[in-house]
Amino acid sequence: MDEIIRIYLAESVALELNIGDLYQLFSAKFPEDYNFWRNISIEEMNHGAIIESINDIFFAENILPADSIEQQIKELQQMNVVIKEHIEYFKFGSQVRFDALNLALDLENSIGESHFELFMTAKPHSTVMKIFQKLNGEDINHAKRIEKYMSENGFV
């Protein structure tokens, strides 16, 4: 079980860092949106650091059933592959701001679902559960900020 949890945490950290990298790329590709993407990128990197820092707490609390976490690992791995593919696509392809904003909105909504699923299976009142609830709130906040930014800039 410990190895499964280590893999889960590593994939979770990778997810946050990959999204941070994607948003950093957007800040370079779309100078008119630099501040917007740069701020969200930094927040994603911070999410990765938070997850990385909870290893000991996670093992002490042992909050996830193995069957639940194994499925979530697969989903995280798939999301990481997709995000890396999008990084390559935007690095060498699309220069369309609308594509970047739409992708980010989709990712934030799907990541929120992933974090939500995690703590729905967790026992209440655990430190790890509270951390993932905060991260889920940040994902929702990012999605709302992206929607607001799109609206303010005439993309919807």
Side-chain angles (χ1 to χ4, degrees), residues 87-101:
I87 289 171
E88 291 303 308
Y89 173 72
F90 277 93
K91 192 182 290 183
F92 302 109
S94 180
Q95 301 288 326
V96 181
R97 291 169 65 203
F98 183 74
D99 291 348
L101 289 159

Side-chain angles (χ1 to χ4, degrees), residues 17-27 37 41 83 86-87 90 103-104 107:
L17 298 180
N18 286 332
I19 290 184
D21 287 346
L22 179 66
Y23 294 170
Q24 182 64 31
L25 175 63
F26 290 168
S27 74
W37 290 122
S41 172
I83 292 166
H86 284 298
I87 289 171
F90 277 93
L103 172 61
L107 289 173

Side-chain angles (χ1 to χ4, degrees), residues 106-124:
D106 288 345
L107 289 173
E108 292 297 336
N109 285 323
S110 65
I111 293 164
E113 286 298 313
S114 176
H115 287 163
F116 181 75
E117 186 176 327
L118 168 76
F119 62 80
M120 285 302 291
T121 61
K123 68 180 179 183

Side-chain angles (χ1 to χ4, degrees), residues 5-31:
I5 293 173
R6 284 186 218 298
I7 293 168
Y8 176 81
L9 290 173
E11 289 296 328
S12 294
V13 169
L15 179 69
E16 299 294 344
L17 298 180
N18 286 332
I19 290 184
D21 287 346
L22 179 66
Y23 294 170
Q24 182 64 31
L25 175 63
F26 290 168
S27 74
K29 285 287 244 189
F30 308 108

Side-chain angles (χ1 to χ4, degrees), residues 32-127:
E32 59 270 54
D33 303 321
Y34 175 83
N35 289 331
F36 177 76
W37 290 122
R38 178 77 174 133
N39 290 337
I40 293 180
S41 172
I42 290 168
E43 291 170 12
E44 294 294 349
M45 300 293 184
N46 288 337
H47 293 173
I50 290 168
I51 295 170
E52 201 163 36
S53 72
I54 65 171
N55 272 318
D56 294 337
I57 298 168
F58 204 97
F59 286 106
E61 293 185 6
N62 195 18
I63 64 168
L64 294 173
D67 59 339
S68 168
I69 199 168
E70 287 177 1
Q71 178 58 36
Q72 290 179 15
I73 288 170
K74 290 176 187 170
E75 291 170 9
L76 287 169
Q77 289 170 331
Q78 290 170 347
M79 289 178 76
N80 278 317
V81 168
V82 167
I83 292 166
K84 287 179 181 180
E85 289 170 352
H86 284 298
I87 289 171
E88 291 303 308
Y89 173 72
F90 277 93
K91 192 182 290 183
F92 302 109
S94 180
Q95 301 288 326
V96 181
R97 291 169 65 203
F98 183 74
D99 291 348
L101 289 159
N102 266 335
L103 172 61
L105 187 57
D106 288 345
L107 289 173
E108 292 297 336
N109 285 323
S110 65
I111 293 164
E113 286 298 313
S114 176
H115 287 163
F116 181 75
E117 186 176 327
L118 168 76
F119 62 80
M120 285 302 291
T121 61
K123 68 180 179 183
H125 309 298
S126 74
T127 305

